[in-house]
Amino acid sequence: MAAVGSGCSTAAAGPGVVSAGALEPGTMSAVGIFFWERVASQGKRGVQGLPWPFPNTSGRIPAHRRLKYISLAVLVVQNASLILSIRYTRTLPGDRFFATTAVVMAEVLKGLTCLLLLFAQKRGNVKHLVLFLHEAVLVQYVDTFKLAVPSLIYTLQNNLQYVAISNLPAATFQVTYQLKILTTALFSVLMLNRSLSRLQWASLLLLFTGVAIVQAQQAGGGGPRPLDQNPGVGLTAVVASCLSSGFAGVYFEKILKGSSGSVWLRNLQLGLFGTVLGLVGLWWAEGAAVAHRGFFFGYTPAVWGVVLNQAFGGLLVAVVVKYADNILKGFATSLSIVLSTVASIRLFGFHVDPLFALGAGLVIGAVYLYSLPRSAAKAIASTSTSASGPCTHQQPPGQPPPPQLSSHRGDLSTEPFLPKSVLVK
């Protein structure tokens, strides 16, 4: 599920989900985000109404920090649970549902949810909603059709994820899927003329090395696997998914620069295109089988859980990602890899050998290094330089230290570019 993240950072919302930070500030304040901002504002008050930054000595965790913890939990749980639930439903004995129908249903539910949220924004006035949609979707048809390309790619990506997870262990997929960081970074350099620091280039090389080690372990027969699963097909699908994720995220950012549409409007437009394109893909790939057995063939409560997770999980992440900085998102990715691995051991009998542990460790380290703000990356570089020789920029005695740039700012000068489509839909 690749979402467009906040600012230039990674989002966890997943394919076809636009997050709040991808558009103009304040576009979500009229709906559910109002609650989060209200809570955050309460966290910026000290004891007895003293203004920030006077500390709150009540013994409670400040609300703005609680929001970060909640964001971390949501990102980790949604990221890991979707992959694990898809793997679980695709490996159960018995009738197997059609993945193309699940993709269509997720797009339908996502579109309906965004429509209801827009209806709430218009305070339940049907006439205002209709006029708004007519203006935003039909009159401004050029902006609407710009979303057709990323929607097509996101739909393809969602189907590829089902193919990949059906043929790869959940932990292996989770590690390999982090290649989308590499593809998004490369497309950002080529299409947006962004520059990467030396540490980021080094982390991308480390990431590729870690994924290669994990795939070598998989190809070498890392544990028993069912006869109906083909690791080669799974690897091809996940690489294609990463390429589509990287291109779609960067292309989406490029065409929507300066757009004033709300986050729910953009997700509604993506949902409309995604539904139509998903139906076309269904007809082309599994049309005869679906017509014979039925659209909801093989659907169980677990399958519906996957569909709901894809539809609503991505939208939920699109909201909470506003309160997560780049380091938190990188940490969430690392935790989700660990969680997926531990759960795979318990649920699917996955075997962790030293080769997989080495590759996964390299990927986790690469994700963390890549997510560091530029200021922190420069500090690491300067530290390594000073370790090899005397420092030429020492602070004079008695002088206060220079001000430090906060790693929680969202400006482009300190935050690295991270994929806008991370963790999964």
Side-chain angles (χ1 to χ4, degrees):
M1 163 205 52
V4 180
S6 59
C8 291
S9 55
T10 300
V17 179
V18 188
S19 71
L23 304 173
E24 290 188 352
T27 53
M28 299 182 61
S29 59
V31 282
I33 202 68
F34 169 80
F35 166 76
W36 294 89
E37 292 179 342
R38 180 82 176 267
V39 174
S41 66
Q42 294 298 321
K44 293 185 178 181
R45 299 178 184 273
V47 181
Q48 298 179 351
L50 291 177
W52 185 264
F54 284 92
N56 188 335
T57 57
S58 62
R60 299 180 180 178
I61 300 176
H64 71 287
R65 292 190 63 185
R66 288 201 301 270
L67 286 177
K68 283 187 176 291
Y69 297 146
I70 293 173
S71 300
L72 175 63
V74 171
L75 291 173
V76 172
V77 171
Q78 201 276 337
N79 191 21
S81 64
L82 180 60
I83 295 173
L84 292 169
S85 59
I86 291 178
R87 178 67 179 176
Y88 176 76
T89 55
R90 299 299 284 176
T91 55
L92 281 176
D95 296 330
R96 178 178 289 188
F97 68 99
F98 299 109
T100 51
T101 64
V103 172
V104 171
M105 284 305 304
E107 294 297 327
V108 170
L109 292 175
K110 183 180 70 177
L112 290 175
T113 302
C114 293
L115 186 62
L116 289 175
L117 291 170
L118 288 172
F119 183 65
Q121 277 187 327
K122 302 303 176 183
R123 301 183 181 277
N125 192 313
V126 178
K127 181 180 179 180
H128 288 176
L129 177 63
V130 172
L131 292 175
F132 170 75
L133 292 177
H134 177 267
E135 173 69 21
V137 178
L138 298 179
V139 176
Q140 301 180 22
Y141 64 92
V142 175
D143 285 344
T144 299
F145 279 104
K146 284 181 179 179
L147 297 174
V149 173
S151 182
L152 171 63
I153 298 174
Y154 286 140
T155 303
L156 173 64
Q157 181 183 348
N158 286 332
N159 284 281
L160 287 172
Q161 284 181 359
Y162 276 98
V163 175
I165 299 175
S166 299
N167 289 277
L168 291 175
T172 303
F173 171 84
Q174 181 76 290
V175 173
T176 308
Y177 193 58
Q178 302 313 311
L179 279 177
K180 63 183 176 284
I181 298 177
L182 172 63
T183 59
T184 307
L186 294 178
F187 279 119
S188 70
V189 171
L190 296 174
M191 297 173 61
L192 300 178
N193 296 320
R194 279 205 170 96
S195 61
L196 300 178
S197 67
R198 291 182 180 179
L199 181 62
Q200 288 175 318
W201 283 115
S203 65
L204 292 177
L205 178 61
L206 195 66
L207 173 70
F208 183 81
T209 303
V211 171
I213 291 175
V214 169
Q215 286 302 318
Q217 178 266 353
Q218 181 68 25
R225 60 173 178 265
L227 297 177
D228 61 342
Q229 296 180 21
N230 189 330
V233 172
L235 176 61
T236 303
V238 74
V239 170
S241 181
C242 290
L243 287 170
S244 62
S245 172
F247 177 79
V250 175
Y251 177 83
F252 193 91
E253 180 186 4
K254 186 178 180 66
I255 65 174
L256 287 186
K257 286 243 179 182
S259 172
S260 59
S262 74
V263 61
W264 305 125
L265 172 64
R266 295 310 181 199
N267 278 304
L268 173 62
Q269 292 170 318
L270 285 174
L272 291 174
F273 281 115
T275 300
V276 174
L277 295 171
L279 288 172
V280 172
L282 184 155
W283 171 79
W284 180 75
E286 301 173 319
V290 172
H292 175 68
R293 296 188 172 184
F295 188 91
F296 296 108
F297 173 78
Y299 272 59
T300 63
V303 176
W304 279 111
V306 171
V307 173
L308 293 175
N309 194 345
Q310 270 196 313
F312 302 129
L315 292 174
L316 177 61
V317 170
V319 174
V320 302
V321 80
K322 179 177 180 180
Y323 302 98
D325 56 36
N326 282 315
I327 296 179
L328 190 71
K329 294 167 194 171
F331 190 52
T333 301
S334 302
L335 281 180
S336 63
I337 293 175
V338 175
L339 180 60
S340 297
T341 302
V342 173
S344 295
I345 296 172
R346 299 278 301 184
L347 296 175
F348 312 118
F350 182 72
H351 174 66
V352 178
D353 59 15
L355 203 59
F356 177 87
L358 173 62
L362 290 177
V363 170
I364 290 173
V367 171
Y368 173 76
L369 291 176
Y370 191 86
S371 64
L372 288 176
R374 288 186 181 270
S375 56
K378 290 180 179 179
I380 293 176
S382 62
T383 301
S384 61
T385 303
S386 62
S388 60
C391 178
T392 58
H393 299 282
Q394 295 182 354
Q395 187 70 18
Q399 295 294 326
Q404 298 294 322
L405 292 176
S406 171
S407 62
H408 303 291
R409 291 177 55 192
D411 54 12
L412 300 181
S413 62
T414 60
E415 297 288 354
F417 177 76
L418 284 172
K420 296 186 178 295
S421 53
V422 200
L423 303 183
V424 180
K425 175 185 173 187

